[in-house]
Amino acid sequence: METQVLTPHVYWAQRHRELYLRVELSDVQNPAISITENVLHFKAQGHGAKGDNVYEFHLEFLDLVKPEPVHRLTQRQVNITVQKKVSQWWERLTKQEKRPLFLAPDFDRWLDESDAEMELRAKEEERLNKLRLESEGSPETLTSLKKGYLFMYNLVQLLGFSWIFVNLTVRFFILGKESFYDTFHTVADMMYFCQMLALVETLNAAIGVTSSPVLPTLIQFLGRNFILFIIFGTMEEMQNKAVVFFVFYSWSTIEIFRYPFYMLSCIDMDWKVLTWLRYTVWIPLYPLGCLSEAVAVIQSIPVFNESGRFSFTLPSPVKMKVKFSFFLQVYLVMLFLGLYINFRHLYKQRRRRYGQKKKKLH
């Protein structure tokens, strides 16, 4: 006796790009599912409404579909997904207007066209957001990149200023006071590099890469570069003076404690000795550095007056000669104003770091 061939119950739903078919058959193994000439062919042995039998059906689709159906077996049903060739909404599933008796809407997955469009837009937005996140990187990735970038910047600055500090120290122990007078020609190139690179520090503060306040960072950058490029760089007479040694030595001594502190902060490390030095060593060194800069400016005033460099005459009817030394005198006032602003900023940092601990001890 031949096994009776029956038609299973089939439920369908659609989206703009896909068709979903749910075949009510349980205990199905290795179903034969294919699409040829836009017709879906299904045949399988399983347990359906008429018991354990061979069930099959054929559906000719309303419009073109891709001939690669995807199916998934569960204990109670067979789920088939068919991709439409053109993303659009169909008025019905089959080419024939009359719906086959075994076919019914799948109300568990059914959406009308407007709801399907909303779902499609939501999926598209989710896809675009995912692509945007992949292109921009996750917050964790961006944080890691920022820390790596800051670590490398501080490492380069540490190496540069350490080279200057060691060079000046060794030369002083070997040559004594004689090393003061050729300091500029010995380490100027490295100092130029480090101080130009310090522009990055100001930009980091300005765009929010670091939490440092912009004004103290900018004051230090402009002040040091004025001394380096204008006072020392443009006048050979100033390059052979002993004050160059004291300016460069104070700058490098401060930085060989500051930059390694920032490096360790990038990798969430706190070395207590280094932290204490970073928040303490500036107390004597910062005023000494500012004093040596002031001495350099005062010594440069007669040099600029004699050479007339950067001096100019105002146009008529005033026709008054303005000497560059006038601006140097103004700069001296600004130098000590900058010292006050930066000293106040550094004092607040130290108080935040150690002040609370002292209060808790009382």
Side-chain angles (χ1 to χ4, degrees):
M1 180 177 179
E2 292 185 4
T3 304
Q4 187 179 5
V5 177
L6 301 170
T7 303
H9 293 300
V10 181
Y11 300 90
W12 80 284
Q14 68 168 319
R15 299 294 185 267
H16 285 80
R17 296 173 180 170
E18 296 172 324
L19 300 167
Y20 304 115
L21 300 172
R22 175 164 55 86
V23 184
E24 289 292 305
L25 282 180
S26 61
D27 302 323
V28 174
Q29 294 182 357
N30 301 320
I33 305 172
S34 63
I35 295 177
T36 55
E37 297 181 356
N38 220 48
V39 177
L40 174 69
H41 305 280
F42 177 93
K43 186 175 183 180
Q45 175 83 31
H47 193 86
K50 299 295 182 178
D52 193 13
N53 277 297
V54 174
Y55 293 84
E56 65 178 286
F57 66 88
H58 309 280
L59 286 175
E60 185 175 4
F61 294 112
L62 175 66
D63 211 333
L64 296 177
V65 297
K66 296 180 180 180
E68 301 92 13
V70 177
H71 72 275
R72 183 172 61 87
L73 299 176
T74 68
Q75 190 174 359
R76 295 186 176 183
Q77 61 199 27
V78 181
N79 295 309
I80 304 171
T81 303
V82 179
Q83 299 290 329
K84 298 177 181 178
K85 277 201 172 180
V86 178
S87 178
Q88 61 182 3
W89 195 256
W90 291 4
E91 61 181 20
R92 61 180 184 273
L93 178 64
T94 59
K95 190 170 185 179
Q96 65 182 62
E97 293 188 11
K98 186 178 180 181
R99 178 175 59 82
L101 295 176
F102 65 86
L103 186 65
D106 185 354
F107 290 109
D108 291 337
R109 303 195 71 169
W110 192 266
L111 292 177
D112 59 29
E113 186 175 1
S114 60
D115 291 337
E117 286 178 351
M118 290 178 62
E119 183 185 71
L120 184 64
R121 283 197 296 270
K123 286 184 177 179
E124 185 65 18
E125 287 178 6
E126 184 179 355
R127 185 183 70 85
L128 292 174
N129 286 334
K130 186 177 179 181
L131 290 173
R132 180 176 57 80
L133 287 174
E134 288 176 354
S135 63
E136 293 178 356
S138 64
E140 294 80 7
T141 302
L142 291 175
T143 301
S144 298
L145 288 173
K146 185 176 82 169
K147 286 185 176 181
Y149 153 71
L150 291 174
F151 182 89
M152 290 305 300
Y153 166 77
N154 289 303
L155 175 61
V156 171
Q157 288 285 51
L158 171 62
L159 293 175
F161 279 108
S162 296
W163 185 90
I164 295 171
F165 176 81
V166 171
N167 192 301
L168 295 180
T169 303
V170 171
R171 285 174 55 80
F172 174 73
F173 280 109
I174 294 174
L175 302 176
K177 295 181 181 179
E178 293 298 321
S179 65
F180 293 169
Y181 304 103
D182 61 350
T183 296
F184 186 86
H185 301 287
T186 305
V187 299
D189 289 340
M190 182 61 73
M191 187 61 79
Y192 278 136
F193 171 78
C194 291
Q195 287 306 134
M196 286 190 291
L197 187 61
L199 174 63
V200 174
E201 208 164 326
T202 307
L203 294 176
N204 287 341
I207 64 179
V209 175
T210 62
S211 58
S212 302
V214 179
L215 185 59
T217 309
L218 181 63
I219 288 174
Q220 178 170 295
F221 171 75
L222 294 176
R224 285 188 178 183
N225 280 284
F226 179 80
I227 298 295
L228 178 61
F229 286 92
I230 303 299
I231 302 299
F232 296 152
T234 63
M235 303 300 292
E236 291 186 13
E237 295 89 336
M238 290 300 301
Q239 295 172 7
N240 298 318
K241 292 186 179 293
V243 70
V244 179
F245 174 88
F246 294 100
V247 171
F248 284 7
Y249 203 75
S250 62
W251 290 356
S252 60
T253 306
I254 291 172
E255 305 303 19
I256 62 173
F257 296 112
R258 189 167 71 97
Y259 284 118
F261 169 79
Y262 288 146
M263 278 176 56
L264 294 182
S265 298
C266 292
I267 55 177
D268 301 320
M269 286 183 63
D270 183 15
W271 186 20
K272 291 184 178 180
V273 174
L274 180 62
T275 303
W276 185 86
L277 287 170
R278 184 265 179 272
Y279 285 105
T280 307
V281 76
W282 61 267
I283 297 174
L285 288 178
Y286 208 83
L288 288 174
C290 186
L291 182 62
S292 61
E293 291 176 33
V295 171
V297 173
I298 293 170
Q299 289 183 354
S300 71
I301 289 176
V303 177
F304 279 102
N305 280 338
E306 185 178 346
S307 67
R309 180 166 291 185
F310 302 132
S311 298
F312 59 91
T313 302
L314 294 174
S316 57
V318 181
K319 289 187 177 181
M320 183 178 71
K321 186 174 183 179
V322 180
K323 293 184 177 182
F324 186 63
S325 58
F326 168 76
F327 296 100
L328 293 178
Q329 292 166 20
V330 173
Y331 178 78
L332 279 173
V333 177
M334 295 175 61
L335 179 64
F336 287 99
L337 178 62
L339 171 65
Y340 168 75
I341 293 173
N342 278 358
F343 205 92
R344 187 166 174 266
H345 164 65
L346 292 169
Y347 174 74
K348 285 183 177 180
Q349 281 188 326
R350 193 179 196 283
R351 189 176 180 182
R352 280 197 300 267
R353 187 79 184 191
Y354 294 107
Q356 297 298 324
K357 293 181 180 179
K358 289 182 180 179
K359 288 180 182 178
K360 291 179 181 178
L361 291 174
H362 290 298

